[in-house]
Amino acid sequence: MTVYLVGAGPGDPGLLTMRAHELIAAADVILHDRLIPAGALDHARPDAEVFDVGKQGGGPQVPQEETERLLLEHGATGRMVVRLKGGDPFVFGRGGEEALALREAGIPFEVVPGITAGIAAPAYAGIPVTQRDVASAVAFITGHEDPAKPESALDWPALAAFPGTLVFYMGVKALPRIAEQLLAGGRPPYEPVAVVERGTLADQRTTLGTLVTIAAKAAGARAPAITLVGPVAGLRERIAWLEARPLFGLTVAVTRARAQASALAARLRELGATVVEAPAIRVRPLDAELPDPQGYDLLCVTSPNGAERLFDHLRDARSLAGVTVAAIGPGTARALRARGVEPDVVPERAVAEGLVEALADVRVERALVTRAAEGRDVLPDALRERGAVVDVVALYETVAEPLDEDTRVAAAAADYVLFTSASSVRFFAAAGGSLSGPRLVSIGPATSDELRAHGAEPAIEADPHTPDGLIAVVLTHARESGPQGGSSP
Ligand code: SAH
């Protein structure tokens, strides 16, 4: 077995490489830094041994010798060890030292590069570290942050004379010194400087200045931060793209079950929002007996979950042959299509009442309705009223999922809280989620009614009553409420 020295990238979970994902999922032992992307360990094996060597019991960093000792100890046992580091393991990550220690101990290893903060943070700030005719070289620099340290290892005159972009992996405490030394070395006072804090993370912030102004302008910056010096920093004004996204600076909480939340969350992130996943519900499949659909002329599927579960129970796809299939909305229709079934009826309005209307002209003698245990009776009742024999089969139920304190707090502070079903309202409230403030967004009338039943008024109701409709109303609302938080470039 091998030890893997793996870069975890600068912080955005999307910038973790596929190789890193693969190795994390297979590892017996994981030794990770403090600065690894959120969720990076979600797919680790449940029985993997995980060490946070970024801190000791919430305190200071585990000493490098101790980290190396752990690495050798576990590496020597022949287990698969992943040493996960922020950014790239060989860029100011002490990965080289760890590789040498492994080689000396005769333990095989592999190095998996990661995206280094010095490139990624500027990129997210709209700054290319090289640019034709502007900068044809780039230097990555680190050093002592403490100006009181007698001898700095850095050759400041050489750095000042460097013909290209300077990228400092140093805290903001070092800013005055960096500016002062570069000015003393002859770099022009008006040279642009950017400080990028928490690069690629949801709360990334960039301060732009010059060698003369930056120390004062960025005095309050928080770690981790990259300082970039060079004319390319001036390109930010034209290239900045992150801040231009429509939901930049806004936090959106999604209360959907985790299994369904990811597509919605991904879309919101793409629009620039910070997403808080606060799943108060979870879908639990039920041990149901599904009658043979051939005994019916109509099969109604009332949710994407229902569609998926349906196929768990269907022994032979041909048993749907000749049966009219109705889906309650576009998401359910998509889930059916994904399994090779084109629904015959999909209503304009994605609610039970809409499906009843859409079925007005369909002759129904025997109908099978598959749905959640707690589903509403609107549809079966309406079909019975028309003289049909209706069998209802509950294929799954939604059950409460506890919310931890951090998630509750984050959701309470969110600019928008999205509810995609009445049950998500019920379980979110039961889990202690806050329903206060003018920021509740409901997917449709049944969900809005449930909010009202809890004494809360939805600020916005989506139309159409679909996840896409939900995103559309949030976009409109955000636009009408004016620009958000983020500092202009
Ligand atoms: N191996 C890492 C660097 C580790 S040194 C890499 O390749 O990125 C730690 C320094 O990296 C921090 O002090 C800070 O200057 C910088 N850094 C790390 N993550 C950062 C981020 N998300 N945004 C800005 N700077 C970051």
Short mmCIF file of all heavy atoms in Angstrom, two decimals, residues 392-459:
data_model
loop_
_atom_site.label_atom_id
_atom_site.label_comp_id
_atom_site.label_asym_id
_atom_site.label_seq_id
_atom_site.Cartn_x
_atom_site.Cartn_y
_atom_site.Cartn_z
N VAL A 392 -54.47 3.35 -3.39
CA VAL A 392 -53.36 4.23 -3.04
C VAL A 392 -52.27 3.39 -2.39
O VAL A 392 -52.56 2.63 -1.47
CB VAL A 392 -53.82 5.34 -2.06
CG1 VAL A 392 -52.63 6.18 -1.61
CG2 VAL A 392 -54.89 6.21 -2.71
N VAL A 393 -51.04 3.52 -2.90
CA VAL A 393 -49.93 2.77 -2.29
C VAL A 393 -48.86 3.77 -1.85
O VAL A 393 -48.36 4.56 -2.65
CB VAL A 393 -49.31 1.77 -3.29
CG1 VAL A 393 -48.20 0.98 -2.61
CG2 VAL A 393 -50.37 0.84 -3.83
N ALA A 394 -48.54 3.71 -0.57
CA ALA A 394 -47.48 4.58 -0.05
C ALA A 394 -46.15 3.86 -0.23
O ALA A 394 -45.93 2.79 0.33
CB ALA A 394 -47.73 4.89 1.42
N LEU A 395 -45.28 4.45 -1.05
CA LEU A 395 -44.00 3.80 -1.35
C LEU A 395 -42.89 4.28 -0.43
O LEU A 395 -41.84 3.66 -0.34
CB LEU A 395 -43.61 4.07 -2.80
CG LEU A 395 -44.51 3.45 -3.87
CD1 LEU A 395 -43.98 3.79 -5.25
CD2 LEU A 395 -44.59 1.94 -3.69
N TYR A 396 -43.11 5.44 0.19
CA TYR A 396 -42.06 5.97 1.07
C TYR A 396 -42.72 6.94 2.04
O TYR A 396 -43.87 7.34 1.86
CB TYR A 396 -40.97 6.69 0.27
CG TYR A 396 -41.45 7.95 -0.44
CD1 TYR A 396 -41.28 9.21 0.13
CD2 TYR A 396 -42.10 7.86 -1.67
CE1 TYR A 396 -41.73 10.34 -0.51
CE2 TYR A 396 -42.55 9.01 -2.31
CZ TYR A 396 -42.36 10.25 -1.73
OH TYR A 396 -42.81 11.37 -2.36
N GLU A 397 -41.97 7.27 3.06
CA GLU A 397 -42.46 8.32 3.95
C GLU A 397 -41.33 9.30 4.18
O GLU A 397 -40.15 8.96 4.02
CB GLU A 397 -42.94 7.72 5.27
CG GLU A 397 -41.85 6.99 6.04
CD GLU A 397 -42.35 6.40 7.34
OE1 GLU A 397 -43.43 6.81 7.80
OE2 GLU A 397 -41.66 5.54 7.90
N THR A 398 -41.68 10.52 4.54
CA THR A 398 -40.63 11.46 4.89
C THR A 398 -40.57 11.51 6.41
O THR A 398 -41.59 11.58 7.08
CB THR A 398 -40.90 12.86 4.32
OG1 THR A 398 -42.26 13.19 4.60
CG2 THR A 398 -40.70 12.89 2.83
N VAL A 399 -39.35 11.43 6.92
CA VAL A 399 -39.18 11.41 8.37
C VAL A 399 -38.25 12.56 8.77
O VAL A 399 -37.52 13.11 7.94
CB VAL A 399 -38.60 10.07 8.85
CG1 VAL A 399 -39.60 8.94 8.60
CG2 VAL A 399 -37.28 9.76 8.18
N ALA A 400 -38.32 12.90 10.05
CA ALA A 400 -37.54 14.03 10.55
C ALA A 400 -36.05 13.71 10.51
O ALA A 400 -35.63 12.58 10.72
CB ALA A 400 -37.96 14.35 11.97
N GLU A 401 -35.27 14.72 10.22
CA GLU A 401 -33.81 14.62 10.27
C GLU A 401 -33.39 15.74 11.23
O GLU A 401 -33.79 16.89 11.03
CB GLU A 401 -33.26 14.90 8.85
CG GLU A 401 -31.78 14.90 8.72
CD GLU A 401 -31.21 13.54 8.31
OE1 GLU A 401 -31.64 12.53 8.87
OE2 GLU A 401 -30.33 13.53 7.44
N PRO A 402 -32.65 15.41 12.28
CA PRO A 402 -32.30 16.49 13.22
C PRO A 402 -31.38 17.53 12.58
O PRO A 402 -30.61 17.20 11.68
CB PRO A 402 -31.59 15.75 14.35
CG PRO A 402 -31.19 14.42 13.80
CD PRO A 402 -32.12 14.11 12.67
N LEU A 403 -31.51 18.78 13.02
CA LEU A 403 -30.60 19.84 12.54
C LEU A 403 -29.63 20.14 13.66
O LEU A 403 -30.04 20.33 14.80
CB LEU A 403 -31.39 21.11 12.23
CG LEU A 403 -32.35 21.09 11.04
CD1 LEU A 403 -33.03 22.45 10.90
CD2 LEU A 403 -31.58 20.76 9.77
N ASP A 404 -28.34 20.19 13.33
CA ASP A 404 -27.41 20.54 14.41
C ASP A 404 -27.44 22.05 14.65
O ASP A 404 -27.97 22.82 13.84
CB ASP A 404 -26.00 19.99 14.16
CG ASP A 404 -25.37 20.58 12.91
OD1 ASP A 404 -25.60 21.78 12.65
OD2 ASP A 404 -24.66 19.85 12.20
N GLU A 405 -26.85 22.43 15.77
CA GLU A 405 -26.90 23.83 16.21
C GLU A 405 -26.32 24.78 15.14
O GLU A 405 -26.93 25.79 14.81
CB GLU A 405 -26.13 23.95 17.54
CG GLU A 405 -26.00 25.34 18.11
CD GLU A 405 -27.35 25.93 18.53
OE1 GLU A 405 -28.33 25.15 18.64
OE2 GLU A 405 -27.43 27.17 18.72
N ASP A 406 -25.16 24.43 14.58
CA ASP A 406 -24.52 25.28 13.58
C ASP A 406 -25.44 25.51 12.38
O ASP A 406 -25.55 26.62 11.86
CB ASP A 406 -23.22 24.65 13.07
CG ASP A 406 -22.13 24.70 14.13
OD1 ASP A 406 -22.36 25.33 15.18
OD2 ASP A 406 -21.07 24.08 13.92
N THR A 407 -26.08 24.43 11.95
CA THR A 407 -26.96 24.53 10.78
C THR A 407 -28.17 25.41 11.12
O THR A 407 -28.58 26.25 10.30
CB THR A 407 -27.43 23.13 10.35
OG1 THR A 407 -26.29 22.31 10.17
CG2 THR A 407 -28.23 23.19 9.07
N ARG A 408 -28.73 25.23 12.31
CA ARG A 408 -29.88 26.07 12.73
C ARG A 408 -29.51 27.54 12.73
O ARG A 408 -30.24 28.38 12.23
CB ARG A 408 -30.35 25.66 14.13
CG ARG A 408 -31.45 24.61 14.13
CD ARG A 408 -32.20 24.64 15.45
NE ARG A 408 -31.31 24.46 16.59
CZ ARG A 408 -30.98 23.26 17.09
NH1 ARG A 408 -31.48 22.17 16.56
NH2 ARG A 408 -30.15 23.17 18.10
N VAL A 409 -28.34 27.83 13.29
CA VAL A 409 -27.90 29.23 13.37
C VAL A 409 -27.67 29.79 11.97
O VAL A 409 -28.11 30.89 11.63
CB VAL A 409 -26.60 29.34 14.23
CG1 VAL A 409 -25.99 30.72 14.12
CG2 VAL A 409 -26.91 29.00 15.69
N ALA A 410 -26.99 29.00 11.13
CA ALA A 410 -26.71 29.47 9.76
C ALA A 410 -28.01 29.68 8.99
O ALA A 410 -28.15 30.66 8.26
CB ALA A 410 -25.82 28.45 9.04
N ALA A 411 -28.98 28.79 9.16
CA ALA A 411 -30.25 28.93 8.44
C ALA A 411 -31.02 30.14 8.96
O ALA A 411 -31.67 30.85 8.18
CB ALA A 411 -31.08 27.65 8.58
N ALA A 412 -30.92 30.39 10.26
CA ALA A 412 -31.64 31.53 10.84
C ALA A 412 -31.08 32.84 10.32
O ALA A 412 -31.79 33.85 10.23
CB ALA A 412 -31.56 31.48 12.36
N ALA A 413 -29.80 32.84 9.95
CA ALA A 413 -29.16 34.07 9.47
C ALA A 413 -29.26 34.22 7.96
O ALA A 413 -28.84 35.23 7.40
CB ALA A 413 -27.70 34.09 9.91
N ALA A 414 -29.80 33.21 7.28
CA ALA A 414 -29.82 33.23 5.81
C ALA A 414 -30.74 34.32 5.28
O ALA A 414 -31.71 34.71 5.93
CB ALA A 414 -30.26 31.87 5.28
N ASP A 415 -30.43 34.81 4.07
CA ASP A 415 -31.27 35.83 3.44
C ASP A 415 -32.57 35.21 2.92
O ASP A 415 -33.60 35.88 2.86
CB ASP A 415 -30.51 36.48 2.28
CG ASP A 415 -29.26 37.18 2.78
OD1 ASP A 415 -29.40 38.21 3.45
OD2 ASP A 415 -28.15 36.68 2.54
N TYR A 416 -32.50 33.95 2.50
CA TYR A 416 -33.69 33.24 2.03
C TYR A 416 -33.68 31.83 2.60
O TYR A 416 -32.62 31.22 2.72
CB TYR A 416 -33.70 33.12 0.50
CG TYR A 416 -33.80 34.45 -0.21
CD1 TYR A 416 -32.67 35.03 -0.79
CD2 TYR A 416 -35.01 35.13 -0.31
CE1 TYR A 416 -32.74 36.26 -1.44
CE2 TYR A 416 -35.10 36.35 -0.96
CZ TYR A 416 -33.97 36.91 -1.52
OH TYR A 416 -34.05 38.11 -2.16
N VAL A 417 -34.87 31.36 2.96
CA VAL A 417 -35.01 29.95 3.35
C VAL A 417 -36.02 29.33 2.41
O VAL A 417 -37.15 29.80 2.31
CB VAL A 417 -35.49 29.81 4.82
CG1 VAL A 417 -35.44 28.34 5.24
CG2 VAL A 417 -34.65 30.67 5.75
N LEU A 418 -35.60 28.31 1.69
CA LEU A 418 -36.47 27.71 0.67
C LEU A 418 -37.17 26.47 1.19
O LEU A 418 -36.54 25.58 1.76
CB LEU A 418 -35.64 27.32 -0.56
CG LEU A 418 -34.70 28.35 -1.18
CD1 LEU A 418 -34.21 27.85 -2.53
CD2 LEU A 418 -35.40 29.69 -1.34
N PHE A 419 -38.50 26.44 0.95
CA PHE A 419 -39.27 25.26 1.33
C PHE A 419 -39.88 24.63 0.09
O PHE A 419 -40.61 25.30 -0.65
CB PHE A 419 -40.37 25.64 2.33
CG PHE A 419 -39.80 26.10 3.63
CD1 PHE A 419 -39.67 27.45 3.91
CD2 PHE A 419 -39.37 25.17 4.56
CE1 PHE A 419 -39.11 27.87 5.11
CE2 PHE A 419 -38.82 25.58 5.77
CZ PHE A 419 -38.69 26.94 6.04
N THR A 420 -39.57 23.36 -0.12
CA THR A 420 -40.02 22.70 -1.34
C THR A 420 -41.20 21.77 -1.09
O THR A 420 -41.66 21.10 -2.01
CB THR A 420 -38.88 21.88 -1.97
OG1 THR A 420 -38.30 21.09 -0.94
CG2 THR A 420 -37.82 22.79 -2.56
N SER A 421 -41.68 21.72 0.14
CA SER A 421 -42.86 20.90 0.43
C SER A 421 -43.41 21.27 1.80
O SER A 421 -42.69 21.85 2.63
CB SER A 421 -42.51 19.42 0.43
OG SER A 421 -41.64 19.14 1.50
N ALA A 422 -44.70 20.92 1.99
CA ALA A 422 -45.31 21.17 3.30
C ALA A 422 -44.57 20.39 4.38
O ALA A 422 -44.34 20.90 5.48
CB ALA A 422 -46.78 20.78 3.26
N SER A 423 -44.15 19.17 4.03
CA SER A 423 -43.47 18.38 5.07
C SER A 423 -42.13 18.99 5.45
O SER A 423 -41.71 18.91 6.60
CB SER A 423 -43.32 16.92 4.65
OG SER A 423 -42.71 16.84 3.39
N SER A 424 -41.46 19.65 4.51
CA SER A 424 -40.19 20.27 4.89
C SER A 424 -40.43 21.42 5.87
O SER A 424 -39.63 21.66 6.77
CB SER A 424 -39.38 20.71 3.66
OG SER A 424 -40.00 21.76 2.99
N VAL A 425 -41.56 22.12 5.73
CA VAL A 425 -41.90 23.18 6.70
C VAL A 425 -42.11 22.56 8.07
O VAL A 425 -41.54 23.00 9.08
CB VAL A 425 -43.19 23.92 6.29
CG1 VAL A 425 -43.63 24.90 7.38
CG2 VAL A 425 -43.01 24.63 4.96
N ARG A 426 -42.93 21.51 8.09
CA ARG A 426 -43.29 20.86 9.35
C ARG A 426 -42.04 20.36 10.07
O ARG A 426 -41.82 20.66 11.24
CB ARG A 426 -44.20 19.68 9.03
CG ARG A 426 -45.26 19.43 10.08
CD ARG A 426 -46.47 18.68 9.51
NE ARG A 426 -46.16 17.62 8.59
CZ ARG A 426 -46.63 17.56 7.34
NH1 ARG A 426 -47.41 18.53 6.87
NH2 ARG A 426 -46.32 16.56 6.55
N PHE A 427 -41.20 19.64 9.36
CA PHE A 427 -40.04 19.05 10.01
C PHE A 427 -38.97 20.10 10.35
O PHE A 427 -38.28 19.98 11.35
CB PHE A 427 -39.46 17.92 9.16
CG PHE A 427 -40.31 16.69 9.16
CD1 PHE A 427 -40.88 16.22 7.99
CD2 PHE A 427 -40.57 16.01 10.34
CE1 PHE A 427 -41.67 15.08 7.99
CE2 PHE A 427 -41.36 14.87 10.36
CZ PHE A 427 -41.92 14.40 9.17
N PHE A 428 -38.87 21.12 9.52
CA PHE A 428 -37.90 22.19 9.80
C PHE A 428 -38.28 22.89 11.09
O PHE A 428 -37.43 23.12 11.96
CB PHE A 428 -37.88 23.18 8.63
CG PHE A 428 -36.88 24.29 8.77
CD1 PHE A 428 -35.52 24.06 8.58
CD2 PHE A 428 -37.28 25.59 9.10
CE1 PHE A 428 -34.59 25.09 8.70
CE2 PHE A 428 -36.35 26.62 9.23
CZ PHE A 428 -35.00 26.36 9.02
N ALA A 429 -39.58 23.19 11.24
CA ALA A 429 -40.05 23.84 12.46
C ALA A 429 -39.84 22.91 13.66
O ALA A 429 -39.36 23.33 14.72
CB ALA A 429 -41.52 24.22 12.33
N ALA A 430 -40.15 21.63 13.48
CA ALA A 430 -40.01 20.67 14.57
C ALA A 430 -38.55 20.52 15.00
O ALA A 430 -38.25 20.27 16.16
CB ALA A 430 -40.57 19.32 14.16
N ALA A 431 -37.63 20.70 14.05
CA ALA A 431 -36.20 20.56 14.37
C ALA A 431 -35.63 21.85 14.95
O ALA A 431 -34.42 21.98 15.12
CB ALA A 431 -35.44 20.16 13.12
N GLY A 432 -36.50 22.82 15.23
CA GLY A 432 -36.04 24.06 15.84
C GLY A 432 -35.60 25.10 14.84
O GLY A 432 -34.98 26.10 15.19
N GLY A 433 -35.88 24.88 13.55
CA GLY A 433 -35.53 25.87 12.52
C GLY A 433 -36.37 27.13 12.68
O GLY A 433 -37.54 27.04 13.03
N SER A 434 -35.77 28.27 12.42
CA SER A 434 -36.47 29.55 12.60
C SER A 434 -37.33 29.89 11.38
O SER A 434 -36.87 29.83 10.24
CB SER A 434 -35.44 30.66 12.84
OG SER A 434 -36.03 31.91 12.56
N LEU A 435 -38.59 30.24 11.67
CA LEU A 435 -39.49 30.63 10.58
C LEU A 435 -39.78 32.13 10.66
O LEU A 435 -40.80 32.61 10.19
CB LEU A 435 -40.81 29.85 10.66
CG LEU A 435 -40.72 28.35 10.37
CD1 LEU A 435 -42.08 27.68 10.55
CD2 LEU A 435 -40.21 28.10 8.96
N SER A 436 -38.85 32.88 11.25
CA SER A 436 -39.11 34.31 11.42
C SER A 436 -38.50 35.10 10.26
O SER A 436 -37.64 34.61 9.53
CB SER A 436 -38.52 34.79 12.74
OG SER A 436 -37.12 34.76 12.63
N GLY A 437 -38.96 36.33 10.15
CA GLY A 437 -38.34 37.24 9.18
C GLY A 437 -38.96 37.13 7.80
O GLY A 437 -39.60 36.14 7.46
N PRO A 438 -38.75 38.17 6.98
CA PRO A 438 -39.36 38.23 5.66
C PRO A 438 -38.49 37.55 4.62
O PRO A 438 -37.99 38.16 3.70
CB PRO A 438 -39.42 39.74 5.41
CG PRO A 438 -38.21 40.27 6.14
CD PRO A 438 -37.92 39.33 7.29
N ARG A 439 -38.24 36.30 4.76
CA ARG A 439 -37.27 35.66 3.88
C ARG A 439 -37.65 34.22 3.55
O ARG A 439 -36.85 33.46 3.05
CB ARG A 439 -35.91 35.68 4.58
CG ARG A 439 -36.03 35.08 5.92
CD ARG A 439 -34.96 35.41 6.91
NE ARG A 439 -35.21 34.55 8.05
CZ ARG A 439 -34.66 33.36 8.20
NH1 ARG A 439 -33.75 32.94 7.38
NH2 ARG A 439 -35.00 32.61 9.20
N LEU A 440 -38.93 33.87 3.86
CA LEU A 440 -39.36 32.50 3.62
C LEU A 440 -39.91 32.39 2.20
O LEU A 440 -40.73 33.18 1.77
CB LEU A 440 -40.45 32.11 4.62
CG LEU A 440 -40.09 32.37 6.09
CD1 LEU A 440 -41.26 32.02 7.00
CD2 LEU A 440 -38.84 31.58 6.48
N VAL A 441 -39.39 31.41 1.48
CA VAL A 441 -39.80 31.23 0.08
C VAL A 441 -40.47 29.86 -0.04
O VAL A 441 -39.88 28.84 0.34
CB VAL A 441 -38.59 31.29 -0.86
CG1 VAL A 441 -39.05 31.32 -2.31
CG2 VAL A 441 -37.74 32.53 -0.55
N SER A 442 -41.69 29.88 -0.56
CA SER A 442 -42.47 28.64 -0.64
C SER A 442 -42.62 28.20 -2.08
O SER A 442 -42.75 29.02 -2.99
CB SER A 442 -43.84 28.90 0.01
OG SER A 442 -44.83 28.14 -0.64
N ILE A 443 -42.64 26.90 -2.30
CA ILE A 443 -42.72 26.39 -3.67
C ILE A 443 -44.14 26.47 -4.23
O ILE A 443 -44.32 26.52 -5.45
CB ILE A 443 -42.17 24.94 -3.75
CG1 ILE A 443 -41.86 24.55 -5.20
CG2 ILE A 443 -43.15 23.93 -3.15
CD1 ILE A 443 -40.99 23.33 -5.36
N GLY A 444 -45.13 26.50 -3.34
CA GLY A 444 -46.51 26.53 -3.86
C GLY A 444 -47.53 26.65 -2.76
O GLY A 444 -47.17 26.77 -1.58
N PRO A 445 -48.81 26.61 -3.11
CA PRO A 445 -49.88 26.89 -2.15
C PRO A 445 -49.91 25.95 -0.94
O PRO A 445 -50.11 26.43 0.19
CB PRO A 445 -51.16 26.71 -2.98
CG PRO A 445 -50.76 26.43 -4.37
CD PRO A 445 -49.29 26.38 -4.47
N ALA A 446 -49.69 24.65 -1.14
CA ALA A 446 -49.77 23.74 0.00
C ALA A 446 -48.66 24.05 1.01
O ALA A 446 -48.88 24.01 2.23
CB ALA A 446 -49.67 22.29 -0.48
N THR A 447 -47.49 24.37 0.48
CA THR A 447 -46.35 24.71 1.34
C THR A 447 -46.60 26.04 2.05
O THR A 447 -46.31 26.20 3.24
CB THR A 447 -45.06 24.76 0.49
OG1 THR A 447 -44.91 23.51 -0.18
CG2 THR A 447 -43.84 25.03 1.34
N SER A 448 -47.18 27.00 1.32
CA SER A 448 -47.50 28.31 1.94
C SER A 448 -48.51 28.13 3.06
O SER A 448 -48.39 28.74 4.12
CB SER A 448 -48.07 29.26 0.89
OG SER A 448 -47.09 29.52 -0.10
N ASP A 449 -49.54 27.29 2.82
CA ASP A 449 -50.53 27.03 3.86
C ASP A 449 -49.88 26.46 5.11
O ASP A 449 -50.23 26.82 6.24
CB ASP A 449 -51.60 26.05 3.35
CG ASP A 449 -52.55 26.73 2.38
OD1 ASP A 449 -52.53 27.99 2.32
OD2 ASP A 449 -53.30 26.01 1.68
N GLU A 450 -48.93 25.56 4.89
CA GLU A 450 -48.26 24.95 6.03
C GLU A 450 -47.46 26.00 6.81
O GLU A 450 -47.43 25.99 8.03
CB GLU A 450 -47.35 23.82 5.55
CG GLU A 450 -46.78 22.95 6.65
CD GLU A 450 -47.85 22.11 7.36
OE1 GLU A 450 -48.85 21.74 6.70
OE2 GLU A 450 -47.67 21.85 8.57
N LEU A 451 -46.83 26.93 6.08
CA LEU A 451 -46.10 28.01 6.76
C LEU A 451 -47.08 28.84 7.59
O LEU A 451 -46.81 29.17 8.74
CB LEU A 451 -45.39 28.91 5.73
CG LEU A 451 -44.08 28.35 5.16
CD1 LEU A 451 -43.63 29.15 3.94
CD2 LEU A 451 -42.98 28.37 6.23
N ARG A 452 -48.22 29.16 6.99
CA ARG A 452 -49.23 29.96 7.72
C ARG A 452 -49.70 29.20 8.94
O ARG A 452 -49.91 29.79 9.99
CB ARG A 452 -50.39 30.32 6.80
CG ARG A 452 -49.96 31.31 5.74
CD ARG A 452 -51.10 31.86 4.92
NE ARG A 452 -50.52 32.58 3.79
CZ ARG A 452 -50.48 32.12 2.53
NH1 ARG A 452 -51.07 30.97 2.22
NH2 ARG A 452 -49.90 32.82 1.59
N ALA A 453 -49.86 27.89 8.82
CA ALA A 453 -50.30 27.08 9.97
C ALA A 453 -49.28 27.18 11.11
O ALA A 453 -49.61 26.97 12.27
CB ALA A 453 -50.48 25.63 9.55
N HIS A 454 -48.05 27.53 10.76
CA HIS A 454 -47.01 27.71 11.79
C HIS A 454 -46.86 29.18 12.16
O HIS A 454 -45.85 29.58 12.75
CB HIS A 454 -45.68 27.14 11.30
CG HIS A 454 -45.61 25.66 11.36
ND1 HIS A 454 -46.13 24.85 10.37
CD2 HIS A 454 -45.14 24.82 12.32
CE1 HIS A 454 -45.96 23.59 10.70
NE2 HIS A 454 -45.36 23.54 11.87
N GLY A 455 -47.81 30.00 11.75
CA GLY A 455 -47.78 31.41 12.13
C GLY A 455 -46.79 32.22 11.31
O GLY A 455 -46.41 33.32 11.71
N ALA A 456 -46.33 31.69 10.18
CA ALA A 456 -45.35 32.43 9.37
C ALA A 456 -45.97 32.76 8.02
O ALA A 456 -46.77 32.00 7.49
CB ALA A 456 -44.11 31.57 9.18
N GLU A 457 -45.57 33.90 7.48
CA GLU A 457 -46.10 34.30 6.17
C GLU A 457 -44.97 34.17 5.15
O GLU A 457 -43.91 34.76 5.32
CB GLU A 457 -46.59 35.75 6.26
CG GLU A 457 -47.28 36.27 5.01
CD GLU A 457 -48.49 35.43 4.57
OE1 GLU A 457 -49.19 34.86 5.45
OE2 GLU A 457 -48.71 35.31 3.34
N PRO A 458 -45.18 33.40 4.09
CA PRO A 458 -44.12 33.33 3.07
C PRO A 458 -43.94 34.69 2.41
O PRO A 458 -44.93 35.36 2.09
CB PRO A 458 -44.65 32.30 2.07
CG PRO A 458 -46.11 32.20 2.31
CD PRO A 458 -46.35 32.56 3.75
N ALA A 459 -42.69 35.10 2.21
CA ALA A 459 -42.42 36.37 1.54
C ALA A 459 -42.69 36.23 0.06
O ALA A 459 -43.14 37.17 -0.59
CB ALA A 459 -40.97 36.78 1.78
#
